[in-house]
Amino acid sequence: MNTEQIKTILQEEILELAPEADLDLLDQEDDMREELDLDSMDFMRLCVALGNKLGFQIPDSDLTKILTFESMLAYLYERSKT
């Protein structure tokens, strides 16, 4: 899977949780939880949904690595290659 495919999946899953989000205005280097006003449970739902769609689990220990859109995209891409 390439980065564009993963980016599309990531955007779709974000919009499932935050349909009012304007992803064009999302600062890709800021904390997504703050930018999208996601609480911890919503962020966990996002991670679970992404893992399910991509075929792997995101361990709790990695959650601090994926706080921004940019870092999450890079993380998901790397994980999808293994």
Side-chain angles (χ1 to χ4, degrees), residues 42-81:
D42 284 339
F43 187 70
M44 185 60 71
R45 283 188 194 110
L46 174 63
C47 293
V48 169
L50 289 167
N52 289 339
K53 278 231 168 135
L54 296 170
F56 55 82
Q57 290 185 330
I58 300 172
D60 291 347
S61 59
D62 286 353
L63 295 181
T64 58
K65 298 176 185 177
I66 56 173
L67 297 178
T68 69
F69 187 92
E70 188 176 273
S71 64
M72 184 175 277
L73 183 59
Y75 174 88
L76 295 172
Y77 177 69
E78 286 302 315
R79 287 290 310 272
S80 71
K81 293 190 324 185

Side-chain angles (χ1 to χ4, degrees), residues 22-33:
D22 186 345
L23 298 179
D24 292 330
L25 297 178
L26 180 68
D27 187 333
Q28 296 191 5
E29 295 181 16
D30 281 347
D31 188 325
M32 276 194 306
R33 295 172 302 172

Side-chain angles (χ1 to χ4, degrees), residues 5-22:
Q5 292 168 312
I6 293 172
K7 183 177 181 179
T8 298
I9 291 169
L10 177 55
Q11 290 172 331
E12 289 170 353
E13 293 303 322
I14 288 172
L15 290 173
E16 280 289 316
L17 287 173
E20 71 287 350
D22 186 345

